[in-house]
Amino acid sequence: MTPPAGKPAEIIEALQVLELPAEATLTQIRQSYRFLKDLYGGESIATLPVSGEISTKDRQQIIEKIDAAYEALIRFFEDERGRDLSVQRSAPDEIARYLADVEEITGAVLKTVRKMQGFVPEEVAAETRIPVLNLERIEQEDFAAFPPPVYTRGFVSGYADFLGLEADRASSDFMRRFNAWKENRGGGNPPHRFRLAFWKKKK
Amino acid sequence: MVRMKVAGEMSYEAFAAENPASGAAPAPKQIRPAPDRRTKETKIWAVGGGKGGIGKSFIISSVAQCLARKGHRIVLLDADLGGANLHTFFGVDRPRTTLTEFFERQIPLSSLVCETGVPNLGLLIGALDTLAADHIRYSQKMKLFRHIRTLPADYVLIDIGAGTHFHTVDSFLLADTLIAAVVPELISVENLYYFLKSVFYRKLLRAMSENGWKTIIFETWKNRRNLGIRNVKELTDYLRTQSGEISGVIDEALSDFLFHIVVNKVRRRQEIKVGLGVKSICMKYFGLDARYAGYIEHDELVSRSINKRQPYLQTHTGSRCSGQIEVVAENLLQQKAFG
């Protein structure tokens, strides 16, 4: 195994702690970190059968190792990109507490969770292939500017999935609000600014 | 996880060395087959998982079809000696030749392979009428294992059946690619851990026995409470401290030891992650290398196909489930992780 150029051995090691290959992206690192913190911080069918095999202290050590690896990786990427990535980063349990009080997944909720996880829209766009413009429209619930519902639904579920939320719940919550908005303005699909803009440009 | 390596293989010499009663002369300790000696020979894959009914046979028979479609010559071996049923997946009716002929009448394995109706895919059926499967002699089993590698195939895929009996574990350890099947249910995960630990313990026991340290591992495990050993990782950690030689043997036994986890019967999106969780526990708690090969979602039509005795992959070619099986097969072939 040869580490790819530009990645020191301790970074490769940190990636191994997060169970990631050497070429892992920042997004993968964040997702894996969140997943492992949830896994070792809580109880699930993967951890329950072995809960008696390991002491609380050892488990704590694993969590500390995961934290340290993540910190090292974030620092590495910060140096590489020359940008502070950790400003708005919140701990996974803080996000879980926030989500526990959420009754309906709205654009604002998606935005809050994204910020708590410390992502900028460009990073989400790079991973999900949802254009930044549409991510912003979803967050602001700019219903009039949405692409046709079939796309909107796909975008919302893709975005929610990226954030680690329940994609089906997010898209149904969101579409319910979208439909309520349509009813209020007299039914029917919104005039497609999306499509009109396209034709206008052609002219 | 990024290490690419040839999966573990247990040579016949190693088997014989462990049990001289098998009739063969014990092989000298220092002679071990070179890892790449077998690259051109038949590769063996096996699926296990401890619990019954989690779809081991479905997974292995479907993966076999995927490989056969790619043009590899496959022999599917039903090593569930007491409960063979792989033939049912292909609608093979009352097979005339089974492993019984091999055990009782010394007929060569290659002439016992039945056709499945799928090109490139042959089937070797477990002993249907051997009522006392547990009483298959050790020497018989060793003979079977020895002959498997001589089958005219690129891959031999073994369905080892449920349980953690040492017969089952031995068949599993025979493979170069170890596939661990699990469904997203607590009981299945629990049984998978038991199974993986048994497999690992048996592998370790063999490696230690080859060097004449069988009693060390027995005694250590017996005294585990006094030594404060709670899991297999602590066992290996303790054994490593005993001597540099032991540490070397453990390293060697572990170096080519890798599980490929397949999650079957996924019903909800969140359950896909069970594979990642199980992989993580294997690595961090048990100190075993594992890789998540992929998941297969639950499809009602699978059991319907089996009941109709039609291979699911042939009758439901374009389904999501079929696509996921193909991803699993490809990941196993490339020794790659899912995602």
Side-chain angles (χ1 to χ4, degrees), chain B residues 47 51-53 56-57 77-87 89 99 103 124-130 133-134 136 144 157-163 167-168 171:
Chain B
V47 65
K51 191 175 175 292
K56 291 180 296 295
S57 305
L77 168 67
D78 198 341
D80 191 349
L81 295 177
N85 53 18
L86 261 186
H87 52 284
F89 283 77
L99 282 180
F103 286 131
L124 249 176
I125 295 153
L128 292 173
D129 41 8
T130 299
D134 276 357
I136 290 170
L144 171 65
L157 273 54
I158 309 179
D159 178 7
I160 63 160
H167 274 321
T168 313
S171 320

PDB file of all heavy atoms in Angstrom, chain B residues 47 51-53 56-57 77-87 89 99 103 124-130 133-134 136 144 157-163 167-168 171:
ATOM      1  N   VAL B  47     -19.831 -18.834   1.702  1.00  0.00           N
ATOM      2  CA  VAL B  47     -20.726 -17.927   2.427  1.00  0.00           C
ATOM      3  C   VAL B  47     -21.172 -18.599   3.717  1.00  0.00           C
ATOM      4  O   VAL B  47     -21.507 -19.776   3.735  1.00  0.00           O
ATOM      5  CB  VAL B  47     -21.924 -17.484   1.552  1.00  0.00           C
ATOM      6  CG1 VAL B  47     -22.833 -18.652   1.209  1.00  0.00           C
ATOM      7  CG2 VAL B  47     -22.725 -16.374   2.227  1.00  0.00           C
ATOM      8  N   LYS B  51     -26.573 -17.772  11.464  1.00  0.00           N
ATOM      9  CA  LYS B  51     -28.006 -17.993  11.604  1.00  0.00           C
ATOM     10  C   LYS B  51     -28.578 -18.638  10.339  1.00  0.00           C
ATOM     11  O   LYS B  51     -28.072 -18.401   9.248  1.00  0.00           O
ATOM     12  CB  LYS B  51     -28.692 -16.652  11.859  1.00  0.00           C
ATOM     13  CG  LYS B  51     -30.139 -16.773  12.278  1.00  0.00           C
ATOM     14  CD  LYS B  51     -30.703 -15.411  12.621  1.00  0.00           C
ATOM     15  CE  LYS B  51     -32.176 -15.499  12.916  1.00  0.00           C
ATOM     16  NZ  LYS B  51     -32.979 -15.834  11.742  1.00  0.00           N
ATOM     17  N   GLY B  52     -29.614 -19.402  10.518  1.00  0.00           N
ATOM     18  CA  GLY B  52     -30.302 -20.007   9.381  1.00  0.00           C
ATOM     19  C   GLY B  52     -31.362 -19.061   8.835  1.00  0.00           C
ATOM     20  O   GLY B  52     -31.868 -18.206   9.558  1.00  0.00           O
ATOM     21  N   GLY B  53     -31.689 -19.228   7.563  1.00  0.00           N
ATOM     22  CA  GLY B  53     -32.781 -18.461   6.973  1.00  0.00           C
ATOM     23  C   GLY B  53     -32.461 -17.018   6.631  1.00  0.00           C
ATOM     24  O   GLY B  53     -33.359 -16.218   6.419  1.00  0.00           O
ATOM     25  N   LYS B  56     -28.296 -17.217   2.873  1.00  0.00           N
ATOM     26  CA  LYS B  56     -26.949 -17.598   2.432  1.00  0.00           C
ATOM     27  C   LYS B  56     -27.008 -18.320   1.086  1.00  0.00           C
ATOM     28  O   LYS B  56     -26.255 -18.006   0.175  1.00  0.00           O
ATOM     29  CB  LYS B  56     -26.282 -18.526   3.462  1.00  0.00           C
ATOM     30  CG  LYS B  56     -25.921 -17.874   4.761  1.00  0.00           C
ATOM     31  CD  LYS B  56     -25.262 -18.844   5.714  1.00  0.00           C
ATOM     32  CE  LYS B  56     -26.168 -19.981   6.149  1.00  0.00           C
ATOM     33  NZ  LYS B  56     -27.328 -19.546   6.954  1.00  0.00           N
ATOM     34  N   SER B  57     -27.911 -19.281   0.992  1.00  0.00           N
ATOM     35  CA  SER B  57     -28.020 -20.057  -0.242  1.00  0.00           C
ATOM     36  C   SER B  57     -28.470 -19.171  -1.391  1.00  0.00           C
ATOM     37  O   SER B  57     -27.976 -19.299  -2.513  1.00  0.00           O
ATOM     38  CB  SER B  57     -29.011 -21.209  -0.067  1.00  0.00           C
ATOM     39  OG  SER B  57     -28.636 -21.991   1.023  1.00  0.00           O
ATOM     40  N   LEU B  77     -21.074 -25.583  -4.704  1.00  0.00           N
ATOM     41  CA  LEU B  77     -21.024 -26.772  -3.852  1.00  0.00           C
ATOM     42  C   LEU B  77     -21.915 -26.575  -2.633  1.00  0.00           C
ATOM     43  O   LEU B  77     -21.763 -25.601  -1.897  1.00  0.00           O
ATOM     44  CB  LEU B  77     -19.579 -27.035  -3.415  1.00  0.00           C
ATOM     45  CG  LEU B  77     -19.377 -28.062  -2.302  1.00  0.00           C
ATOM     46  CD1 LEU B  77     -19.759 -29.457  -2.779  1.00  0.00           C
ATOM     47  CD2 LEU B  77     -17.943 -28.067  -1.817  1.00  0.00           C
ATOM     48  N   ASP B  78     -22.831 -27.486  -2.467  1.00  0.00           N
ATOM     49  CA  ASP B  78     -23.698 -27.429  -1.296  1.00  0.00           C
ATOM     50  C   ASP B  78     -23.046 -28.254  -0.198  1.00  0.00           C
ATOM     51  O   ASP B  78     -23.138 -29.472  -0.185  1.00  0.00           O
ATOM     52  CB  ASP B  78     -25.074 -27.989  -1.655  1.00  0.00           C
ATOM     53  CG  ASP B  78     -26.108 -27.551  -0.645  1.00  0.00           C
ATOM     54  OD1 ASP B  78     -25.701 -27.148   0.462  1.00  0.00           O
ATOM     55  OD2 ASP B  78     -27.300 -27.612  -0.965  1.00  0.00           O
ATOM     56  N   ALA B  79     -22.349 -27.561   0.696  1.00  0.00           N
ATOM     57  CA  ALA B  79     -21.647 -28.288   1.755  1.00  0.00           C
ATOM     58  C   ALA B  79     -22.472 -28.333   3.024  1.00  0.00           C
ATOM     59  O   ALA B  79     -21.971 -28.663   4.093  1.00  0.00           O
ATOM     60  CB  ALA B  79     -20.296 -27.640   2.018  1.00  0.00           C
ATOM     61  N   ASP B  80     -23.731 -27.957   2.927  1.00  0.00           N
ATOM     62  CA  ASP B  80     -24.631 -28.092   4.055  1.00  0.00           C
ATOM     63  C   ASP B  80     -25.002 -29.576   4.089  1.00  0.00           C
ATOM     64  O   ASP B  80     -26.022 -29.992   3.558  1.00  0.00           O
ATOM     65  CB  ASP B  80     -25.862 -27.211   3.818  1.00  0.00           C
ATOM     66  CG  ASP B  80     -26.710 -27.087   5.063  1.00  0.00           C
ATOM     67  OD1 ASP B  80     -26.459 -27.850   6.014  1.00  0.00           O
ATOM     68  OD2 ASP B  80     -27.610 -26.243   5.078  1.00  0.00           O
ATOM     69  N   LEU B  81     -24.113 -30.356   4.702  1.00  0.00           N
ATOM     70  CA  LEU B  81     -24.195 -31.803   4.488  1.00  0.00           C
ATOM     71  C   LEU B  81     -25.477 -32.428   5.030  1.00  0.00           C
ATOM     72  O   LEU B  81     -25.958 -33.411   4.510  1.00  0.00           O
ATOM     73  CB  LEU B  81     -22.954 -32.483   5.081  1.00  0.00           C
ATOM     74  CG  LEU B  81     -21.650 -32.081   4.379  1.00  0.00           C
ATOM     75  CD1 LEU B  81     -20.461 -32.714   5.057  1.00  0.00           C
ATOM     76  CD2 LEU B  81     -21.667 -32.423   2.902  1.00  0.00           C
ATOM     77  N   GLY B  82     -26.024 -31.835   6.062  1.00  0.00           N
ATOM     78  CA  GLY B  82     -27.250 -32.421   6.601  1.00  0.00           C
ATOM     79  C   GLY B  82     -28.513 -31.789   6.040  1.00  0.00           C
ATOM     80  O   GLY B  82     -29.600 -32.320   6.202  1.00  0.00           O
ATOM     81  N   GLY B  83     -28.391 -30.647   5.396  1.00  0.00           N
ATOM     82  CA  GLY B  83     -29.599 -29.956   4.936  1.00  0.00           C
ATOM     83  C   GLY B  83     -29.423 -29.338   3.575  1.00  0.00           C
ATOM     84  O   GLY B  83     -29.689 -28.155   3.366  1.00  0.00           O
ATOM     85  N   ALA B  84     -28.953 -30.149   2.639  1.00  0.00           N
ATOM     86  CA  ALA B  84     -28.675 -29.633   1.298  1.00  0.00           C
ATOM     87  C   ALA B  84     -29.963 -29.224   0.598  1.00  0.00           C
ATOM     88  O   ALA B  84     -30.936 -29.961   0.591  1.00  0.00           O
ATOM     89  CB  ALA B  84     -27.962 -30.713   0.491  1.00  0.00           C
ATOM     90  N   ASN B  85     -29.974 -28.027   0.050  1.00  0.00           N
ATOM     91  CA  ASN B  85     -31.149 -27.611  -0.716  1.00  0.00           C
ATOM     92  C   ASN B  85     -30.835 -26.662  -1.858  1.00  0.00           C
ATOM     93  O   ASN B  85     -31.724 -26.072  -2.434  1.00  0.00           O
ATOM     94  CB  ASN B  85     -32.211 -26.996   0.202  1.00  0.00           C
ATOM     95  CG  ASN B  85     -31.641 -25.887   1.060  1.00  0.00           C
ATOM     96  OD1 ASN B  85     -30.579 -25.361   0.761  1.00  0.00           O
ATOM     97  ND2 ASN B  85     -32.331 -25.531   2.111  1.00  0.00           N
ATOM     98  N   LEU B  86     -29.565 -26.505  -2.194  1.00  0.00           N
ATOM     99  CA  LEU B  86     -29.236 -25.566  -3.281  1.00  0.00           C
ATOM    100  C   LEU B  86     -29.877 -25.970  -4.605  1.00  0.00           C
ATOM    101  O   LEU B  86     -30.222 -25.117  -5.409  1.00  0.00           O
ATOM    102  CB  LEU B  86     -27.713 -25.491  -3.480  1.00  0.00           C
ATOM    103  CG  LEU B  86     -26.964 -24.325  -2.843  1.00  0.00           C
ATOM    104  CD1 LEU B  86     -25.519 -24.340  -3.263  1.00  0.00           C
ATOM    105  CD2 LEU B  86     -27.598 -22.990  -3.221  1.00  0.00           C
ATOM    106  N   HIS B  87     -30.029 -27.284  -4.810  1.00  0.00           N
ATOM    107  CA  HIS B  87     -30.608 -27.751  -6.085  1.00  0.00           C
ATOM    108  C   HIS B  87     -32.007 -27.194  -6.303  1.00  0.00           C
ATOM    109  O   HIS B  87     -32.421 -26.947  -7.419  1.00  0.00           O
ATOM    110  CB  HIS B  87     -30.623 -29.267  -6.152  1.00  0.00           C
ATOM    111  CG  HIS B  87     -31.266 -29.913  -4.968  1.00  0.00           C
ATOM    112  ND1 HIS B  87     -30.624 -30.013  -3.751  1.00  0.00           N
ATOM    113  CD2 HIS B  87     -32.502 -30.431  -4.784  1.00  0.00           C
ATOM    114  CE1 HIS B  87     -31.446 -30.606  -2.886  1.00  0.00           C
ATOM    115  NE2 HIS B  87     -32.577 -30.868  -3.493  1.00  0.00           N
ATOM    116  N   PHE B  89     -33.033 -24.266  -5.669  1.00  0.00           N
ATOM    117  CA  PHE B  89     -32.949 -22.919  -6.233  1.00  0.00           C
ATOM    118  C   PHE B  89     -32.914 -22.956  -7.758  1.00  0.00           C
ATOM    119  O   PHE B  89     -33.268 -22.000  -8.421  1.00  0.00           O
ATOM    120  CB  PHE B  89     -31.693 -22.195  -5.721  1.00  0.00           C
ATOM    121  CG  PHE B  89     -31.844 -21.691  -4.319  1.00  0.00           C
ATOM    122  CD1 PHE B  89     -31.745 -22.543  -3.240  1.00  0.00           C
ATOM    123  CD2 PHE B  89     -32.114 -20.353  -4.092  1.00  0.00           C
ATOM    124  CE1 PHE B  89     -31.893 -22.070  -1.957  1.00  0.00           C
ATOM    125  CE2 PHE B  89     -32.261 -19.872  -2.804  1.00  0.00           C
ATOM    126  CZ  PHE B  89     -32.158 -20.739  -1.726  1.00  0.00           C
ATOM    127  N   LEU B  99     -23.007 -35.828  -3.142  1.00  0.00           N
ATOM    128  CA  LEU B  99     -21.737 -36.090  -2.469  1.00  0.00           C
ATOM    129  C   LEU B  99     -21.703 -37.476  -1.816  1.00  0.00           C
ATOM    130  O   LEU B  99     -20.636 -37.988  -1.503  1.00  0.00           O
ATOM    131  CB  LEU B  99     -21.468 -35.016  -1.414  1.00  0.00           C
ATOM    132  CG  LEU B  99     -20.952 -33.671  -1.934  1.00  0.00           C
ATOM    133  CD1 LEU B  99     -20.748 -32.716  -0.773  1.00  0.00           C
ATOM    134  CD2 LEU B  99     -19.646 -33.841  -2.692  1.00  0.00           C
ATOM    135  N   PHE B 103     -18.507 -39.859  -1.096  1.00  0.00           N
ATOM    136  CA  PHE B 103     -18.122 -40.397   0.207  1.00  0.00           C
ATOM    137  C   PHE B 103     -18.167 -41.927   0.236  1.00  0.00           C
ATOM    138  O   PHE B 103     -17.289 -42.579   0.774  1.00  0.00           O
ATOM    139  CB  PHE B 103     -19.042 -39.865   1.309  1.00  0.00           C
ATOM    140  CG  PHE B 103     -18.785 -38.430   1.661  1.00  0.00           C
ATOM    141  CD1 PHE B 103     -19.831 -37.517   1.737  1.00  0.00           C
ATOM    142  CD2 PHE B 103     -17.499 -37.976   1.925  1.00  0.00           C
ATOM    143  CE1 PHE B 103     -19.586 -36.192   2.072  1.00  0.00           C
ATOM    144  CE2 PHE B 103     -17.254 -36.656   2.263  1.00  0.00           C
ATOM    145  CZ  PHE B 103     -18.296 -35.760   2.327  1.00  0.00           C
ATOM    146  N   LEU B 124     -22.820 -29.122  -7.322  1.00  0.00           N
ATOM    147  CA  LEU B 124     -22.463 -30.330  -6.588  1.00  0.00           C
ATOM    148  C   LEU B 124     -23.349 -30.386  -5.364  1.00  0.00           C
ATOM    149  O   LEU B 124     -23.272 -29.498  -4.509  1.00  0.00           O
ATOM    150  CB  LEU B 124     -21.004 -30.242  -6.133  1.00  0.00           C
ATOM    151  CG  LEU B 124     -19.981 -31.153  -6.770  1.00  0.00           C
ATOM    152  CD1 LEU B 124     -18.611 -30.829  -6.232  1.00  0.00           C
ATOM    153  CD2 LEU B 124     -20.317 -32.615  -6.546  1.00  0.00           C
ATOM    154  N   ILE B 125     -24.170 -31.383  -5.296  1.00  0.00           N
ATOM    155  CA  ILE B 125     -25.184 -31.404  -4.247  1.00  0.00           C
ATOM    156  C   ILE B 125     -24.701 -32.149  -3.014  1.00  0.00           C
ATOM    157  O   ILE B 125     -24.053 -33.182  -3.113  1.00  0.00           O
ATOM    158  CB  ILE B 125     -26.481 -32.015  -4.813  1.00  0.00           C
ATOM    159  CG1 ILE B 125     -27.014 -31.079  -5.903  1.00  0.00           C
ATOM    160  CG2 ILE B 125     -27.513 -32.198  -3.728  1.00  0.00           C
ATOM    161  CD1 ILE B 125     -27.817 -31.762  -6.920  1.00  0.00           C
ATOM    162  N   GLY B 126     -25.038 -31.575  -1.867  1.00  0.00           N
ATOM    163  CA  GLY B 126     -24.658 -32.176  -0.601  1.00  0.00           C
ATOM    164  C   GLY B 126     -25.276 -33.557  -0.441  1.00  0.00           C
ATOM    165  O   GLY B 126     -26.150 -33.963  -1.206  1.00  0.00           O
ATOM    166  N   ALA B 127     -24.817 -34.277   0.554  1.00  0.00           N
ATOM    167  CA  ALA B 127     -25.283 -35.636   0.755  1.00  0.00           C
ATOM    168  C   ALA B 127     -26.720 -35.623   1.262  1.00  0.00           C
ATOM    169  O   ALA B 127     -26.974 -35.285   2.405  1.00  0.00           O
ATOM    170  CB  ALA B 127     -24.378 -36.331   1.740  1.00  0.00           C
ATOM    171  N   LEU B 128     -27.649 -35.954   0.373  1.00  0.00           N
ATOM    172  CA  LEU B 128     -29.059 -35.864   0.735  1.00  0.00           C
ATOM    173  C   LEU B 128     -29.492 -36.964   1.697  1.00  0.00           C
ATOM    174  O   LEU B 128     -30.324 -36.761   2.555  1.00  0.00           O
ATOM    175  CB  LEU B 128     -29.923 -35.949  -0.524  1.00  0.00           C
ATOM    176  CG  LEU B 128     -29.821 -34.773  -1.481  1.00  0.00           C
ATOM    177  CD1 LEU B 128     -30.582 -35.085  -2.748  1.00  0.00           C
ATOM    178  CD2 LEU B 128     -30.358 -33.510  -0.845  1.00  0.00           C
ATOM    179  N   ASP B 129     -28.930 -38.146   1.486  1.00  0.00           N
ATOM    180  CA  ASP B 129     -29.419 -39.257   2.299  1.00  0.00           C
ATOM    181  C   ASP B 129     -28.416 -39.684   3.373  1.00  0.00           C
ATOM    182  O   ASP B 129     -28.509 -40.774   3.898  1.00  0.00           O
ATOM    183  CB  ASP B 129     -29.809 -40.440   1.396  1.00  0.00           C
ATOM    184  CG  ASP B 129     -28.801 -40.637   0.284  1.00  0.00           C
ATOM    185  OD1 ASP B 129     -27.759 -39.964   0.329  1.00  0.00           O
ATOM    186  OD2 ASP B 129     -29.050 -41.455  -0.613  1.00  0.00           O
ATOM    187  N   THR B 130     -27.451 -38.806   3.666  1.00  0.00           N
ATOM    188  CA  THR B 130     -26.587 -39.099   4.800  1.00  0.00           C
ATOM    189  C   THR B 130     -27.295 -38.570   6.036  1.00  0.00           C
ATOM    190  O   THR B 130     -27.342 -37.377   6.265  1.00  0.00           O
ATOM    191  CB  THR B 130     -25.221 -38.429   4.641  1.00  0.00           C
ATOM    192  OG1 THR B 130     -24.629 -38.946   3.473  1.00  0.00           O
ATOM    193  CG2 THR B 130     -24.318 -38.701   5.810  1.00  0.00           C
ATOM    194  N   ALA B 133     -25.080 -36.562   9.372  1.00  0.00           N
ATOM    195  CA  ALA B 133     -24.089 -35.708   8.722  1.00  0.00           C
ATOM    196  C   ALA B 133     -22.909 -35.407   9.642  1.00  0.00           C
ATOM    197  O   ALA B 133     -21.787 -35.245   9.190  1.00  0.00           O
ATOM    198  CB  ALA B 133     -24.743 -34.410   8.280  1.00  0.00           C
ATOM    199  N   ASP B 134     -23.197 -35.336  10.934  1.00  0.00           N
ATOM    200  CA  ASP B 134     -22.142 -35.016  11.887  1.00  0.00           C
ATOM    201  C   ASP B 134     -21.111 -36.122  11.984  1.00  0.00           C
ATOM    202  O   ASP B 134     -20.032 -35.921  12.507  1.00  0.00           O
ATOM    203  CB  ASP B 134     -22.730 -34.765  13.281  1.00  0.00           C
ATOM    204  CG  ASP B 134     -23.197 -33.333  13.400  1.00  0.00           C
ATOM    205  OD1 ASP B 134     -23.002 -32.580  12.434  1.00  0.00           O
ATOM    206  OD2 ASP B 134     -23.745 -32.986  14.451  1.00  0.00           O
ATOM    207  N   ILE B 136     -19.721 -37.694   9.520  1.00  0.00           N
ATOM    208  CA  ILE B 136     -18.782 -37.796   8.407  1.00  0.00           C
ATOM    209  C   ILE B 136     -17.385 -37.714   9.006  1.00  0.00           C
ATOM    210  O   ILE B 136     -17.098 -36.812   9.792  1.00  0.00           O
ATOM    211  CB  ILE B 136     -19.023 -36.659   7.400  1.00  0.00           C
ATOM    212  CG1 ILE B 136     -20.351 -36.908   6.703  1.00  0.00           C
ATOM    213  CG2 ILE B 136     -17.880 -36.557   6.397  1.00  0.00           C
ATOM    214  CD1 ILE B 136     -20.829 -35.770   5.880  1.00  0.00           C
ATOM    215  N   LEU B 144     -12.578 -34.528   0.779  1.00  0.00           N
ATOM    216  CA  LEU B 144     -13.471 -33.661   0.007  1.00  0.00           C
ATOM    217  C   LEU B 144     -12.799 -32.313  -0.246  1.00  0.00           C
ATOM    218  O   LEU B 144     -12.753 -31.823  -1.378  1.00  0.00           O
ATOM    219  CB  LEU B 144     -14.788 -33.471   0.768  1.00  0.00           C
ATOM    220  CG  LEU B 144     -15.752 -32.430   0.199  1.00  0.00           C
ATOM    221  CD1 LEU B 144     -16.267 -32.850  -1.163  1.00  0.00           C
ATOM    222  CD2 LEU B 144     -16.928 -32.190   1.134  1.00  0.00           C
ATOM    223  N   LEU B 157     -17.929 -22.117  -5.471  1.00  0.00           N
ATOM    224  CA  LEU B 157     -18.647 -21.354  -4.468  1.00  0.00           C
ATOM    225  C   LEU B 157     -19.315 -22.325  -3.498  1.00  0.00           C
ATOM    226  O   LEU B 157     -20.049 -23.215  -3.930  1.00  0.00           O
ATOM    227  CB  LEU B 157     -19.690 -20.444  -5.132  1.00  0.00           C
ATOM    228  CG  LEU B 157     -19.193 -19.067  -5.576  1.00  0.00           C
ATOM    229  CD1 LEU B 157     -17.991 -19.159  -6.483  1.00  0.00           C
ATOM    230  CD2 LEU B 157     -20.291 -18.284  -6.258  1.00  0.00           C
ATOM    231  N   ILE B 158     -19.049 -22.138  -2.222  1.00  0.00           N
ATOM    232  CA  ILE B 158     -19.539 -23.097  -1.237  1.00  0.00           C
ATOM    233  C   ILE B 158     -20.596 -22.480  -0.340  1.00  0.00           C
ATOM    234  O   ILE B 158     -20.411 -21.395   0.197  1.00  0.00           O
ATOM    235  CB  ILE B 158     -18.380 -23.618  -0.354  1.00  0.00           C
ATOM    236  CG1 ILE B 158     -17.218 -24.115  -1.212  1.00  0.00           C
ATOM    237  CG2 ILE B 158     -18.865 -24.727   0.564  1.00  0.00           C
ATOM    238  CD1 ILE B 158     -16.039 -24.609  -0.396  1.00  0.00           C
ATOM    239  N   ASP B 159     -21.684 -23.186  -0.223  1.00  0.00           N
ATOM    240  CA  ASP B 159     -22.714 -22.811   0.745  1.00  0.00           C
ATOM    241  C   ASP B 159     -22.491 -23.727   1.949  1.00  0.00           C
ATOM    242  O   ASP B 159     -22.680 -24.930   1.859  1.00  0.00           O
ATOM    243  CB  ASP B 159     -24.096 -23.056   0.119  1.00  0.00           C
ATOM    244  CG  ASP B 159     -25.215 -22.736   1.074  1.00  0.00           C
ATOM    245  OD1 ASP B 159     -24.929 -22.198   2.161  1.00  0.00           O
ATOM    246  OD2 ASP B 159     -26.380 -23.015   0.726  1.00  0.00           O
ATOM    247  N   ILE B 160     -22.051 -23.159   3.060  1.00  0.00           N
ATOM    248  CA  ILE B 160     -21.658 -24.019   4.176  1.00  0.00           C
ATOM    249  C   ILE B 160     -22.793 -24.334   5.139  1.00  0.00           C
ATOM    250  O   ILE B 160     -22.649 -25.154   6.019  1.00  0.00           O
ATOM    251  CB  ILE B 160     -20.485 -23.421   4.980  1.00  0.00           C
ATOM    252  CG1 ILE B 160     -20.894 -22.104   5.628  1.00  0.00           C
ATOM    253  CG2 ILE B 160     -19.256 -23.257   4.122  1.00  0.00           C
ATOM    254  CD1 ILE B 160     -19.999 -21.731   6.776  1.00  0.00           C
ATOM    255  N   GLY B 161     -23.905 -23.641   4.973  1.00  0.00           N
ATOM    256  CA  GLY B 161     -25.015 -23.901   5.881  1.00  0.00           C
ATOM    257  C   GLY B 161     -24.891 -23.130   7.176  1.00  0.00           C
ATOM    258  O   GLY B 161     -23.906 -22.437   7.410  1.00  0.00           O
ATOM    259  N   ALA B 162     -25.916 -23.268   8.028  1.00  0.00           N
ATOM    260  CA  ALA B 162     -25.974 -22.478   9.258  1.00  0.00           C
ATOM    261  C   ALA B 162     -25.176 -23.148  10.371  1.00  0.00           C
ATOM    262  O   ALA B 162     -24.746 -24.291  10.249  1.00  0.00           O
ATOM    263  CB  ALA B 162     -27.423 -22.301   9.675  1.00  0.00           C
ATOM    264  N   GLY B 163     -24.988 -22.395  11.441  1.00  0.00           N
ATOM    265  CA  GLY B 163     -24.368 -22.961  12.631  1.00  0.00           C
ATOM    266  C   GLY B 163     -22.897 -22.644  12.743  1.00  0.00           C
ATOM    267  O   GLY B 163     -22.288 -22.082  11.834  1.00  0.00           O
ATOM    268  N   HIS B 167     -17.292 -28.503  11.702  1.00  0.00           N
ATOM    269  CA  HIS B 167     -17.365 -28.912  10.293  1.00  0.00           C
ATOM    270  C   HIS B 167     -17.674 -27.697   9.423  1.00  0.00           C
ATOM    271  O   HIS B 167     -17.067 -27.486   8.371  1.00  0.00           O
ATOM    272  CB  HIS B 167     -18.488 -29.932  10.087  1.00  0.00           C
ATOM    273  CG  HIS B 167     -18.066 -31.342  10.360  1.00  0.00           C
ATOM    274  ND1 HIS B 167     -16.839 -31.818   9.993  1.00  0.00           N
ATOM    275  CD2 HIS B 167     -18.722 -32.376  10.953  1.00  0.00           C
ATOM    276  CE1 HIS B 167     -16.751 -33.098  10.360  1.00  0.00           C
ATOM    277  NE2 HIS B 167     -17.882 -33.442  10.955  1.00  0.00           N
ATOM    278  N   THR B 168     -18.668 -26.926   9.877  1.00  0.00           N
ATOM    279  CA  THR B 168     -19.096 -25.741   9.144  1.00  0.00           C
ATOM    280  C   THR B 168     -17.970 -24.731   9.052  1.00  0.00           C
ATOM    281  O   THR B 168     -17.670 -24.194   7.989  1.00  0.00           O
ATOM    282  CB  THR B 168     -20.293 -25.107   9.895  1.00  0.00           C
ATOM    283  OG1 THR B 168     -21.205 -26.133  10.227  1.00  0.00           O
ATOM    284  CG2 THR B 168     -20.980 -24.058   9.082  1.00  0.00           C
ATOM    285  N   SER B 171     -15.186 -25.780   6.662  1.00  0.00           N
ATOM    286  CA  SER B 171     -15.521 -25.581   5.244  1.00  0.00           C
ATOM    287  C   SER B 171     -15.367 -24.108   4.893  1.00  0.00           C
ATOM    288  O   SER B 171     -14.944 -23.762   3.794  1.00  0.00           O
ATOM    289  CB  SER B 171     -16.964 -25.986   4.946  1.00  0.00           C
ATOM    290  OG  SER B 171     -17.308 -27.130   5.635  1.00  0.00           O
TER     291      SER B 171
END
